[in-house]
Amino acid sequence: MTSLAAHATNTSGTGRLILSGAVLWALGVALLRFAASSGWLDAPLPLAGFYALTIGFTWPLIPLVTRFAGLPRAAAVEATALVCATAVTLDGLVIGFAPWIYASDLARAKAVAGCLLWAIGVALVLGFARRRA
């Protein structure tokens, strides 16, 4: 397995991956907060739709983020893992200390957090698939 450090000649690639994780997390929060306030995450069918759309929207992000960091395709897993680590760290902080960032009530905040955690898991699986493809 190739390490991220073996591909990065400086810390700019790592910084770009962390930045990408934070930006993608924030975009996901904004989209899902809107969806939650619109009631789209209250019913199983629209919620399942958001879960399904995550797969289609995540697949092209993996090569985009990998290229943005200046890494080869072989580093897709490592790049995806660092982006996801950034996002899940932000999720942990928000869930623990400021769930109101996700939604105005706890049930909707839980739905948003669930969607974001699902997206992280999907991204990790697709990162492995992307490397092997």
Side-chain angles (χ1 to χ4, degrees):
M1 183 178 292
T2 317
S3 74
L4 184 61
H7 292 296
T9 56
N10 56 42
T11 58
S12 68
T14 301
R16 287 180 181 183
L17 291 171
I18 292 169
L19 175 65
S20 295
V23 168
L24 291 171
W25 173 83
L27 290 172
V29 168
L31 173 70
L32 289 166
R33 185 173 167 91
F34 172 76
S37 67
S38 300
W40 297 345
L41 304 182
D42 295 343
L45 189 58
L47 181 60
F50 271 95
Y51 275 59
L53 286 173
T54 300
I55 298 166
F57 283 111
T58 303
W59 180 254
L61 288 175
I62 294 167
L64 183 70
V65 167
T66 304
R67 271 187 251 124
F68 176 66
L71 298 170
R73 183 180 186 147
V77 173
E78 294 87 346
T80 303
L82 187 52
V83 168
C84 290
T86 302
V88 80
T89 299
L90 292 170
D91 280 332
L93 290 170
V94 171
I95 291 168
F97 295 101
W100 53 266
I101 290 174
Y102 289 152
S104 58
D105 66 70
L106 197 54
R108 287 184 172 159
K110 180 179 147 187
V112 170
C115 287
L116 290 168
L117 292 172
W118 162 260
I120 290 166
V122 165
L124 288 169
V125 168
L126 293 178
F128 277 96
R130 179 84 185 154
R131 183 178 69 180
R132 293 190 178 114

